[in-house]
Amino acid sequence: MKERFNTRSLVLMGLLVALQLVFSFTPIGTIPIGPLSITLQTIPIAIAAIALGPVGGLVMGSVFGILSFLQCIGVGIPSGMGAALFAIDPVLAFVQRFVPRALDGLLVGFVFKGVKKLSNSYTACAVTGFCTALFNTVLFMSALVLLFGSSDYVKGLMGGKNVIVFICTFVGVNAVVEMISTTLITAAVGAALFKAKLIPQAQASN
């Protein structure tokens, strides 16, 4: 049983990594809007956190972080912001792109486990999807301000606003759409995985 679980986990992780690659290297997963973009790339992170726990979320978040950094140098869907940050400091650009995504996956793995103990699987999946998009936005923007807030590029984007106002106005509709789409899709996919018994029974039990 344990061997089957390990094989199933690896297969699921492989499928999610493949989906993440498709999202990163094709327009399917990214909708550019100005310097930012609405992304579906947080969805595989949420699914990994649900199906494989905090470690699975961490791995998938790390994959997203690496692919996000590669966009800074034109690999996959180019990122105007990423290219600008890379030109300022490549090392900090990697930290700003990688750490928030990896941490996002780890945290939502614990969110799912916590909510699952208090509610049903569908609710836990929906909350996990919402938190994945929320944490991704908050951590990404916080890292941007913390690491590049003193740069002329970010100062120009901030336009004299305080940090909270800047983050809210800058991500705006993008973040709301990402949260809604990630919540709905994660809830539907998570429920389907439970119903199909593709998630280990130990996590699926009520």
Side-chain angles (χ1 to χ4, degrees):
M1 180 65 70
K2 186 176 180 180
E3 183 176 356
R4 285 206 303 265
F5 169 72
N6 289 337
T7 300
R8 178 172 53 191
S9 299
L10 289 173
V11 170
L12 181 57
M13 180 63 74
L15 290 173
L16 291 173
V17 169
L19 181 61
Q20 194 71 277
L21 289 170
V22 171
F23 282 169
S24 295
F25 289 99
T26 71
I28 295 175
T30 304
I31 306 173
I33 298 180
L36 290 179
S37 60
I38 294 173
T39 179
L40 301 178
Q41 290 176 279
T42 54
I43 294 173
I45 298 176
I47 300 302
I50 291 168
L52 304 171
V55 174
L58 174 63
V59 172
M60 190 55 55
S62 297
V63 171
F64 179 25
I66 292 172
L67 293 173
S68 178
F69 173 71
L70 291 177
Q71 291 178 328
C72 298
I73 55 177
V75 178
I77 305 298
S79 168
M81 174 185 285
L85 298 181
F86 184 86
I88 296 171
D89 191 317
V91 175
L92 290 183
F94 175 80
V95 173
Q96 192 267 337
R97 291 271 159 164
F98 177 80
V99 173
R101 274 61 190 265
L103 187 58
D104 183 17
L106 178 66
L107 291 176
V108 295
F110 288 111
V111 167
F112 175 76
K113 291 178 66 175
V115 177
K116 183 64 175 64
K117 294 178 181 179
L118 302 174
S119 185
N120 56 56
S121 301
Y122 184 84
T123 300
C125 290
V127 172
T128 300
F130 175 81
C131 288
T132 303
L134 175 63
F135 292 171
N136 177 65
T137 298
V138 172
L139 293 171
F140 180 87
M141 294 301 297
S142 297
L144 174 67
V145 173
L146 178 64
L147 298 175
F148 291 96
S150 61
S151 68
D152 292 336
Y153 174 73
V154 173
K155 285 181 179 179
L157 294 177
M158 294 181 68
K161 302 183 184 72
N162 66 50
V163 174
I164 296 178
V165 173
F166 165 64
I167 292 176
C168 291
T169 56
F170 193 62
V171 298
V173 176
N174 299 47
V176 174
V177 173
E178 286 180 12
M179 289 175 199
I180 294 173
S181 61
T182 305
T183 298
L184 296 177
I185 295 174
T186 300
V189 174
L193 289 175
F194 275 110
K195 186 174 181 179
K197 298 181 179 180
L198 293 177
I199 294 179
Q201 189 62 33
Q203 289 189 28
S205 60
N206 288 314

